[in-house]
Amino acid sequence: MGGTSDRALARTLLERHGKTYAEESGIRMRDTPQPLYQTLVLAHLLSARIRASVAVASARALFDAGLRSPRRMADATWQHRVDALGAGGYRRYDERTSTQLGDAAELLLEEYGGDLRRMRDAAGGDLEELRSALRKVPGLGSAGSDIFLREVQGVWPEISPYLDGKAVQGAERLGLPTDSGKLARLVEEDDVTGFASALVRASLDKSVVDEVRQAADG
């Protein structure tokens, strides 16, 4: 597939499926402590073997319950967190996740004053160091770390383009380049985050691939 066709396919994918998971969760992304923390919570929920729609609904339920900052999360009772997760449909992992969210909030408060920018700054521009620090957050793991970095790259441009394995898998299914640099150049710089989310949706749902191909060909 030639470059022009790749761009058309990428544009169609972005237009139809380029809403970030953070946007779906009601997070107004900025480089400030609260939206960064909320994105970390969302990444934690998305990293489990559960439908993305349930993870998004559960993140919204946590935020609606007032658990929008590490302090509020840490101060909440275990049952309050369980109830909020249950309200979002996150029932299979709710008890363990409630414990992990509390432990993660405590770690962030103790190590970084609840501000993930301090974690980023402590890594000194070393992406692997940053990923390593994120993996130490209880419940996040490698998958959650990738999701978080993918979602915040628009406000942390030093890590962009961040197209993780899931995004590359989506590109492969669509017949797009699997080199992250070539892939990112198919869209405008400001659209990379949404493009990454759209590629993940393509990796998870074959109907997205079929729909986008058909629309781009039309």
Short mmCIF file of all heavy atoms in Angstrom, two decimals, residues 137-202:
data_model
loop_
_atom_site.label_atom_id
_atom_site.label_comp_id
_atom_site.label_asym_id
_atom_site.label_seq_id
_atom_site.Cartn_x
_atom_site.Cartn_y
_atom_site.Cartn_z
N VAL A 137 4.07 1.40 40.44
CA VAL A 137 2.77 1.80 40.99
C VAL A 137 1.91 0.55 41.11
O VAL A 137 1.70 -0.16 40.11
CB VAL A 137 2.09 2.84 40.08
CG1 VAL A 137 0.69 3.16 40.59
CG2 VAL A 137 2.94 4.10 39.97
N PRO A 138 1.39 0.23 42.30
CA PRO A 138 0.61 -0.99 42.49
C PRO A 138 -0.54 -1.13 41.49
O PRO A 138 -1.33 -0.20 41.30
CB PRO A 138 0.08 -0.85 43.92
CG PRO A 138 1.11 -0.03 44.62
CD PRO A 138 1.58 0.96 43.57
N GLY A 139 -0.57 -2.28 40.81
CA GLY A 139 -1.65 -2.60 39.89
C GLY A 139 -1.47 -2.09 38.48
O GLY A 139 -2.25 -2.46 37.59
N LEU A 140 -0.46 -1.27 38.22
CA LEU A 140 -0.34 -0.67 36.89
C LEU A 140 0.34 -1.63 35.90
O LEU A 140 -0.21 -1.91 34.84
CB LEU A 140 0.43 0.65 36.97
CG LEU A 140 0.23 1.59 35.79
CD1 LEU A 140 -1.22 2.04 35.66
CD2 LEU A 140 1.13 2.83 35.93
N GLY A 141 1.51 -2.11 36.26
CA GLY A 141 2.20 -3.07 35.40
C GLY A 141 2.66 -2.47 34.08
O GLY A 141 2.51 -1.27 33.84
N SER A 142 3.19 -3.32 33.22
CA SER A 142 3.70 -2.86 31.92
C SER A 142 2.58 -2.36 31.02
O SER A 142 2.71 -1.33 30.36
CB SER A 142 4.45 -3.99 31.21
OG SER A 142 5.62 -4.32 31.91
N ALA A 143 1.47 -3.10 31.00
CA ALA A 143 0.35 -2.71 30.12
C ALA A 143 -0.22 -1.36 30.55
O ALA A 143 -0.45 -0.48 29.72
CB ALA A 143 -0.74 -3.78 30.14
N GLY A 144 -0.43 -1.18 31.84
CA GLY A 144 -0.97 0.07 32.34
C GLY A 144 -0.02 1.24 32.11
O GLY A 144 -0.46 2.35 31.80
N SER A 145 1.27 0.98 32.25
CA SER A 145 2.27 2.03 32.00
C SER A 145 2.22 2.49 30.55
O SER A 145 2.27 3.70 30.27
CB SER A 145 3.68 1.51 32.34
OG SER A 145 3.75 1.12 33.69
N ASP A 146 2.10 1.53 29.64
CA ASP A 146 2.00 1.87 28.22
C ASP A 146 0.74 2.69 27.93
O ASP A 146 0.78 3.67 27.18
CB ASP A 146 1.98 0.60 27.36
CG ASP A 146 3.36 0.01 27.15
OD1 ASP A 146 4.36 0.74 27.31
OD2 ASP A 146 3.45 -1.19 26.82
N ILE A 147 -0.37 2.27 28.53
CA ILE A 147 -1.62 3.00 28.30
C ILE A 147 -1.51 4.43 28.82
O ILE A 147 -1.91 5.38 28.14
CB ILE A 147 -2.80 2.27 28.99
CG1 ILE A 147 -3.04 0.91 28.34
CG2 ILE A 147 -4.07 3.12 28.92
CD1 ILE A 147 -3.94 -0.02 29.15
N PHE A 148 -0.96 4.59 30.00
CA PHE A 148 -0.81 5.94 30.57
C PHE A 148 0.04 6.82 29.66
O PHE A 148 -0.36 7.94 29.32
CB PHE A 148 -0.17 5.85 31.96
CG PHE A 148 0.15 7.20 32.55
CD1 PHE A 148 -0.84 8.01 33.08
CD2 PHE A 148 1.46 7.68 32.55
CE1 PHE A 148 -0.55 9.27 33.61
CE2 PHE A 148 1.77 8.93 33.07
CZ PHE A 148 0.76 9.72 33.60
N LEU A 149 1.19 6.33 29.25
CA LEU A 149 2.09 7.14 28.42
C LEU A 149 1.46 7.44 27.06
O LEU A 149 1.63 8.54 26.52
CB LEU A 149 3.43 6.42 28.26
CG LEU A 149 4.24 6.31 29.55
CD1 LEU A 149 5.43 5.39 29.37
CD2 LEU A 149 4.71 7.69 30.03
N ARG A 150 0.74 6.48 26.52
CA ARG A 150 0.05 6.69 25.25
C ARG A 150 -0.98 7.81 25.37
O ARG A 150 -1.12 8.64 24.47
CB ARG A 150 -0.63 5.37 24.86
CG ARG A 150 -1.14 5.30 23.44
CD ARG A 150 -1.68 3.91 23.16
NE ARG A 150 -2.93 3.65 23.86
CZ ARG A 150 -3.26 2.49 24.43
NH1 ARG A 150 -2.41 1.47 24.41
NH2 ARG A 150 -4.43 2.34 25.01
N GLU A 151 -1.68 7.86 26.49
CA GLU A 151 -2.75 8.84 26.68
C GLU A 151 -2.23 10.24 27.02
O GLU A 151 -2.89 11.24 26.70
CB GLU A 151 -3.70 8.36 27.77
CG GLU A 151 -4.58 7.19 27.36
CD GLU A 151 -5.73 7.57 26.45
OE1 GLU A 151 -6.35 8.62 26.68
OE2 GLU A 151 -6.00 6.82 25.49
N VAL A 152 -1.07 10.33 27.68
CA VAL A 152 -0.57 11.66 28.11
C VAL A 152 0.44 12.27 27.14
O VAL A 152 0.91 13.39 27.37
CB VAL A 152 0.04 11.62 29.53
CG1 VAL A 152 -0.96 11.10 30.54
CG2 VAL A 152 1.34 10.83 29.58
N GLN A 153 0.78 11.58 26.06
CA GLN A 153 1.84 12.07 25.18
C GLN A 153 1.54 13.44 24.58
O GLN A 153 2.45 14.18 24.24
CB GLN A 153 2.15 11.06 24.08
CG GLN A 153 1.02 10.78 23.11
CD GLN A 153 1.40 9.71 22.10
OE1 GLN A 153 2.43 9.81 21.41
NE2 GLN A 153 0.59 8.67 22.00
N GLY A 154 0.26 13.80 24.50
CA GLY A 154 -0.09 15.11 23.96
C GLY A 154 0.35 16.25 24.87
O GLY A 154 0.64 17.35 24.39
N VAL A 155 0.40 16.00 26.19
CA VAL A 155 0.84 17.04 27.13
C VAL A 155 2.26 16.77 27.63
O VAL A 155 2.84 17.61 28.31
CB VAL A 155 -0.14 17.18 28.33
CG1 VAL A 155 -1.47 17.71 27.84
CG2 VAL A 155 -0.30 15.88 29.09
N TRP A 156 2.80 15.61 27.29
CA TRP A 156 4.21 15.29 27.57
C TRP A 156 4.91 15.04 26.22
O TRP A 156 5.23 13.90 25.88
CB TRP A 156 4.33 14.06 28.47
CG TRP A 156 3.95 14.31 29.91
CD1 TRP A 156 3.45 15.45 30.45
CD2 TRP A 156 4.06 13.38 31.00
NE1 TRP A 156 3.24 15.30 31.79
CE2 TRP A 156 3.60 14.04 32.17
CE3 TRP A 156 4.50 12.06 31.10
CZ2 TRP A 156 3.57 13.42 33.41
CZ3 TRP A 156 4.46 11.44 32.34
CH2 TRP A 156 4.01 12.12 33.49
N PRO A 157 5.10 16.09 25.42
CA PRO A 157 5.59 15.90 24.05
C PRO A 157 6.96 15.24 23.96
O PRO A 157 7.32 14.69 22.92
CB PRO A 157 5.62 17.33 23.49
CG PRO A 157 5.62 18.23 24.69
CD PRO A 157 4.87 17.50 25.75
N GLU A 158 7.72 15.28 25.06
CA GLU A 158 9.05 14.66 25.03
C GLU A 158 8.98 13.14 24.86
O GLU A 158 9.98 12.52 24.48
CB GLU A 158 9.84 15.02 26.30
CG GLU A 158 9.26 14.50 27.59
CD GLU A 158 8.27 15.44 28.23
OE1 GLU A 158 7.64 16.26 27.52
OE2 GLU A 158 8.10 15.38 29.46
N ILE A 159 7.82 12.53 25.12
CA ILE A 159 7.71 11.07 24.95
C ILE A 159 7.00 10.71 23.64
O ILE A 159 6.87 9.52 23.31
CB ILE A 159 6.99 10.40 26.13
CG1 ILE A 159 5.52 10.84 26.20
CG2 ILE A 159 7.72 10.68 27.43
CD1 ILE A 159 4.67 9.99 27.15
N SER A 160 6.53 11.72 22.91
CA SER A 160 5.78 11.48 21.68
C SER A 160 6.72 11.33 20.47
O SER A 160 7.75 12.02 20.41
CB SER A 160 4.82 12.64 21.44
OG SER A 160 4.02 12.42 20.31
N PRO A 161 6.42 10.44 19.52
CA PRO A 161 5.23 9.60 19.47
C PRO A 161 5.39 8.36 20.35
O PRO A 161 6.43 7.72 20.34
CB PRO A 161 5.15 9.20 18.00
CG PRO A 161 6.57 9.19 17.53
CD PRO A 161 7.25 10.30 18.30
N TYR A 162 4.33 8.06 21.12
CA TYR A 162 4.33 6.86 21.95
C TYR A 162 3.27 5.92 21.41
O TYR A 162 2.08 6.05 21.69
CB TYR A 162 4.06 7.19 23.42
CG TYR A 162 4.45 6.04 24.33
CD1 TYR A 162 5.73 5.97 24.87
CD2 TYR A 162 3.55 5.02 24.62
CE1 TYR A 162 6.11 4.91 25.67
CE2 TYR A 162 3.93 3.95 25.43
CZ TYR A 162 5.20 3.91 25.95
OH TYR A 162 5.58 2.83 26.75
N LEU A 163 3.70 5.00 20.58
CA LEU A 163 2.82 4.02 19.96
C LEU A 163 3.27 2.64 20.45
O LEU A 163 4.26 2.09 19.98
CB LEU A 163 2.89 4.13 18.44
CG LEU A 163 2.40 5.48 17.90
CD1 LEU A 163 2.85 5.71 16.48
CD2 LEU A 163 0.88 5.58 17.99
N ASP A 164 2.55 2.13 21.42
CA ASP A 164 2.96 0.88 22.07
C ASP A 164 2.56 -0.33 21.23
O ASP A 164 2.06 -0.21 20.11
CB ASP A 164 2.34 0.82 23.46
CG ASP A 164 0.82 0.83 23.42
OD1 ASP A 164 0.27 1.44 22.49
OD2 ASP A 164 0.18 0.20 24.28
N GLY A 165 2.78 -1.51 21.81
CA GLY A 165 2.53 -2.76 21.08
C GLY A 165 1.11 -2.90 20.58
O GLY A 165 0.88 -3.40 19.46
N LYS A 166 0.14 -2.48 21.40
CA LYS A 166 -1.27 -2.58 20.99
C LYS A 166 -1.56 -1.69 19.79
O LYS A 166 -2.28 -2.09 18.87
CB LYS A 166 -2.18 -2.19 22.15
CG LYS A 166 -2.54 -3.33 23.08
CD LYS A 166 -3.45 -4.33 22.41
CE LYS A 166 -3.82 -5.47 23.34
NZ LYS A 166 -4.51 -6.57 22.62
N ALA A 167 -1.02 -0.47 19.80
CA ALA A 167 -1.23 0.44 18.69
C ALA A 167 -0.58 -0.11 17.42
O ALA A 167 -1.18 -0.08 16.33
CB ALA A 167 -0.65 1.81 19.01
N VAL A 168 0.61 -0.65 17.55
CA VAL A 168 1.32 -1.23 16.40
C VAL A 168 0.57 -2.45 15.86
O VAL A 168 0.50 -2.68 14.65
CB VAL A 168 2.77 -1.58 16.78
CG1 VAL A 168 3.44 -2.40 15.70
CG2 VAL A 168 3.57 -0.31 17.05
N GLN A 169 -0.03 -3.21 16.77
CA GLN A 169 -0.83 -4.37 16.36
C GLN A 169 -2.02 -3.92 15.51
O GLN A 169 -2.36 -4.55 14.50
CB GLN A 169 -1.32 -5.10 17.61
CG GLN A 169 -2.02 -6.43 17.33
CD GLN A 169 -2.50 -7.08 18.63
OE1 GLN A 169 -1.96 -6.85 19.70
NE2 GLN A 169 -3.54 -7.88 18.53
N GLY A 170 -2.64 -2.81 15.92
CA GLY A 170 -3.73 -2.26 15.13
C GLY A 170 -3.27 -1.81 13.76
O GLY A 170 -3.96 -2.02 12.76
N ALA A 171 -2.09 -1.18 13.71
CA ALA A 171 -1.53 -0.74 12.43
C ALA A 171 -1.29 -1.94 11.51
O ALA A 171 -1.60 -1.88 10.31
CB ALA A 171 -0.22 0.01 12.68
N GLU A 172 -0.80 -3.00 12.09
CA GLU A 172 -0.52 -4.21 11.31
C GLU A 172 -1.81 -4.77 10.72
O GLU A 172 -1.85 -5.17 9.56
CB GLU A 172 0.15 -5.25 12.22
CG GLU A 172 0.77 -6.40 11.47
CD GLU A 172 1.65 -7.26 12.36
OE1 GLU A 172 1.61 -7.10 13.60
OE2 GLU A 172 2.38 -8.10 11.81
N ARG A 173 -2.87 -4.79 11.51
CA ARG A 173 -4.16 -5.31 11.03
C ARG A 173 -4.71 -4.47 9.88
O ARG A 173 -5.41 -4.97 9.00
CB ARG A 173 -5.17 -5.35 12.17
CG ARG A 173 -4.83 -6.37 13.24
CD ARG A 173 -5.91 -6.46 14.30
NE ARG A 173 -7.05 -7.23 13.84
CZ ARG A 173 -8.03 -7.65 14.63
NH1 ARG A 173 -8.00 -7.37 15.93
NH2 ARG A 173 -9.04 -8.34 14.15
N LEU A 174 -4.38 -3.17 9.89
CA LEU A 174 -4.85 -2.27 8.84
C LEU A 174 -3.91 -2.22 7.64
O LEU A 174 -4.22 -1.57 6.64
CB LEU A 174 -5.00 -0.85 9.42
CG LEU A 174 -6.24 -0.63 10.29
CD1 LEU A 174 -6.02 0.57 11.21
CD2 LEU A 174 -7.47 -0.43 9.43
N GLY A 175 -2.76 -2.86 7.75
CA GLY A 175 -1.79 -2.82 6.67
C GLY A 175 -0.98 -1.54 6.64
O GLY A 175 -0.40 -1.17 5.62
N LEU A 176 -0.94 -0.84 7.78
CA LEU A 176 -0.16 0.40 7.90
C LEU A 176 1.26 0.09 8.36
O LEU A 176 1.52 -1.01 8.86
CB LEU A 176 -0.84 1.34 8.90
CG LEU A 176 -2.19 1.92 8.47
CD1 LEU A 176 -2.84 2.66 9.63
CD2 LEU A 176 -2.03 2.85 7.27
N PRO A 177 2.19 1.04 8.24
CA PRO A 177 3.57 0.80 8.71
C PRO A 177 3.58 0.44 10.20
O PRO A 177 2.76 0.94 10.98
CB PRO A 177 4.26 2.15 8.47
CG PRO A 177 3.45 2.84 7.44
CD PRO A 177 2.04 2.38 7.64
N THR A 178 4.49 -0.42 10.58
CA THR A 178 4.59 -0.81 11.99
C THR A 178 5.76 -0.13 12.69
O THR A 178 5.96 -0.33 13.89
CB THR A 178 4.73 -2.35 12.12
OG1 THR A 178 5.83 -2.79 11.33
CG2 THR A 178 3.45 -3.05 11.67
N ASP A 179 6.51 0.69 11.97
CA ASP A 179 7.53 1.52 12.59
C ASP A 179 6.84 2.75 13.19
O ASP A 179 6.08 3.45 12.51
CB ASP A 179 8.56 1.95 11.53
CG ASP A 179 9.57 2.95 12.08
OD1 ASP A 179 10.53 2.52 12.73
OD2 ASP A 179 9.36 4.16 11.86
N SER A 180 7.07 3.00 14.47
CA SER A 180 6.32 4.05 15.16
C SER A 180 6.54 5.43 14.54
O SER A 180 5.62 6.23 14.46
CB SER A 180 6.66 4.07 16.66
OG SER A 180 8.03 4.34 16.86
N GLY A 181 7.76 5.71 14.10
CA GLY A 181 8.04 7.00 13.49
C GLY A 181 7.27 7.20 12.18
O GLY A 181 6.63 8.24 11.97
N LYS A 182 7.29 6.18 11.32
CA LYS A 182 6.56 6.26 10.04
C LYS A 182 5.05 6.34 10.30
O LYS A 182 4.33 7.07 9.62
CB LYS A 182 6.88 5.03 9.18
CG LYS A 182 8.29 5.02 8.64
CD LYS A 182 8.54 3.76 7.82
CE LYS A 182 9.97 3.74 7.29
NZ LYS A 182 10.26 2.48 6.57
N LEU A 183 4.60 5.60 11.28
CA LEU A 183 3.19 5.58 11.61
C LEU A 183 2.72 6.96 12.09
O LEU A 183 1.70 7.48 11.64
CB LEU A 183 2.98 4.53 12.71
CG LEU A 183 1.59 3.96 12.97
CD1 LEU A 183 0.95 3.45 11.69
CD2 LEU A 183 1.70 2.83 13.99
N ALA A 184 3.49 7.55 12.98
CA ALA A 184 3.12 8.87 13.54
C ALA A 184 3.09 9.94 12.46
O ALA A 184 2.29 10.88 12.54
CB ALA A 184 4.10 9.25 14.64
N ARG A 185 3.94 9.81 11.45
CA ARG A 185 3.99 10.83 10.39
C ARG A 185 2.78 10.78 9.45
O ARG A 185 2.63 11.67 8.60
CB ARG A 185 5.29 10.70 9.60
CG ARG A 185 6.51 11.21 10.37
CD ARG A 185 7.72 11.38 9.48
NE ARG A 185 8.27 10.11 9.04
CZ ARG A 185 9.15 9.39 9.73
NH1 ARG A 185 9.57 9.81 10.92
NH2 ARG A 185 9.61 8.25 9.25
N LEU A 186 1.93 9.79 9.60
CA LEU A 186 0.73 9.72 8.77
C LEU A 186 -0.34 10.72 9.20
O LEU A 186 -1.29 10.98 8.46
CB LEU A 186 0.14 8.30 8.82
CG LEU A 186 0.99 7.18 8.20
CD1 LEU A 186 0.33 5.83 8.42
CD2 LEU A 186 1.23 7.43 6.71
N VAL A 187 -0.19 11.28 10.41
CA VAL A 187 -1.17 12.26 10.92
C VAL A 187 -0.44 13.50 11.42
O VAL A 187 0.79 13.49 11.57
CB VAL A 187 -2.03 11.65 12.06
CG1 VAL A 187 -2.84 10.47 11.56
CG2 VAL A 187 -1.17 11.25 13.25
N GLU A 188 -1.19 14.55 11.70
CA GLU A 188 -0.60 15.75 12.27
C GLU A 188 -0.10 15.46 13.68
O GLU A 188 -0.63 14.60 14.39
CB GLU A 188 -1.63 16.88 12.32
CG GLU A 188 -2.14 17.33 10.96
CD GLU A 188 -1.05 17.97 10.13
OE1 GLU A 188 -0.18 18.66 10.70
OE2 GLU A 188 -1.07 17.78 8.89
N GLU A 189 0.91 16.20 14.10
CA GLU A 189 1.52 15.99 15.41
C GLU A 189 0.49 16.05 16.54
O GLU A 189 0.53 15.24 17.47
CB GLU A 189 2.61 17.04 15.65
CG GLU A 189 3.49 16.76 16.84
CD GLU A 189 4.65 17.75 16.95
OE1 GLU A 189 5.06 18.31 15.90
OE2 GLU A 189 5.12 17.96 18.08
N ASP A 190 -0.46 16.98 16.44
CA ASP A 190 -1.47 17.14 17.48
C ASP A 190 -2.47 15.98 17.52
O ASP A 190 -3.23 15.85 18.49
CB ASP A 190 -2.25 18.44 17.29
CG ASP A 190 -1.41 19.67 17.61
OD1 ASP A 190 -0.32 19.52 18.20
OD2 ASP A 190 -1.83 20.78 17.23
N ASP A 191 -2.47 15.17 16.48
CA ASP A 191 -3.44 14.08 16.39
C ASP A 191 -2.88 12.71 16.78
O ASP A 191 -3.60 11.71 16.73
CB ASP A 191 -3.98 13.98 14.94
CG ASP A 191 -4.87 15.15 14.58
OD1 ASP A 191 -5.53 15.70 15.48
OD2 ASP A 191 -4.89 15.53 13.38
N VAL A 192 -1.60 12.67 17.17
CA VAL A 192 -0.96 11.37 17.43
C VAL A 192 -1.65 10.62 18.58
O VAL A 192 -1.85 9.41 18.50
CB VAL A 192 0.55 11.54 17.71
CG1 VAL A 192 1.17 10.23 18.19
CG2 VAL A 192 1.27 12.01 16.45
N THR A 193 -2.05 11.33 19.64
CA THR A 193 -2.67 10.65 20.77
C THR A 193 -3.98 9.99 20.36
O THR A 193 -4.23 8.81 20.67
CB THR A 193 -2.93 11.62 21.94
OG1 THR A 193 -1.74 12.34 22.22
CG2 THR A 193 -3.37 10.88 23.18
N GLY A 194 -4.83 10.74 19.65
CA GLY A 194 -6.08 10.17 19.18
C GLY A 194 -5.86 9.05 18.18
O GLY A 194 -6.59 8.04 18.18
N PHE A 195 -4.86 9.21 17.34
CA PHE A 195 -4.52 8.17 16.36
C PHE A 195 -4.09 6.89 17.08
O PHE A 195 -4.50 5.79 16.70
CB PHE A 195 -3.40 8.69 15.46
CG PHE A 195 -3.02 7.78 14.32
CD1 PHE A 195 -3.98 7.17 13.54
CD2 PHE A 195 -1.68 7.56 14.01
CE1 PHE A 195 -3.63 6.34 12.47
CE2 PHE A 195 -1.31 6.75 12.96
CZ PHE A 195 -2.28 6.13 12.19
N ALA A 196 -3.31 7.04 18.13
CA ALA A 196 -2.87 5.88 18.91
C ALA A 196 -4.07 5.15 19.51
O ALA A 196 -4.15 3.91 19.46
CB ALA A 196 -1.91 6.31 20.01
N SER A 197 -5.02 5.89 20.06
CA SER A 197 -6.23 5.28 20.62
C SER A 197 -7.03 4.55 19.53
O SER A 197 -7.55 3.46 19.75
CB SER A 197 -7.11 6.32 21.30
OG SER A 197 -6.47 6.86 22.43
N ALA A 198 -7.12 5.18 18.37
CA ALA A 198 -7.85 4.56 17.25
C ALA A 198 -7.18 3.27 16.80
O ALA A 198 -7.85 2.28 16.49
CB ALA A 198 -7.94 5.56 16.09
N LEU A 199 -5.86 3.27 16.77
CA LEU A 199 -5.13 2.06 16.40
C LEU A 199 -5.37 0.94 17.41
O LEU A 199 -5.50 -0.23 17.03
CB LEU A 199 -3.63 2.36 16.30
CG LEU A 199 -3.18 3.18 15.09
CD1 LEU A 199 -1.75 3.68 15.28
CD2 LEU A 199 -3.30 2.38 13.79
N VAL A 200 -5.43 1.30 18.69
CA VAL A 200 -5.72 0.29 19.71
C VAL A 200 -7.10 -0.30 19.48
O VAL A 200 -7.30 -1.52 19.58
CB VAL A 200 -5.61 0.90 21.13
CG1 VAL A 200 -6.14 -0.07 22.18
CG2 VAL A 200 -4.16 1.25 21.43
N ARG A 201 -8.08 0.54 19.15
CA ARG A 201 -9.43 0.03 18.87
C ARG A 201 -9.40 -0.93 17.69
O ARG A 201 -10.12 -1.94 17.68
CB ARG A 201 -10.39 1.19 18.62
CG ARG A 201 -10.65 2.01 19.87
CD ARG A 201 -11.73 3.08 19.65
NE ARG A 201 -11.96 3.80 20.90
CZ ARG A 201 -11.37 4.95 21.23
NH1 ARG A 201 -10.52 5.52 20.37
NH2 ARG A 201 -11.62 5.53 22.38
N ALA A 202 -8.58 -0.63 16.70
CA ALA A 202 -8.45 -1.53 15.55
C ALA A 202 -7.83 -2.87 15.96
O ALA A 202 -8.19 -3.92 15.43
CB ALA A 202 -7.61 -0.87 14.45
#
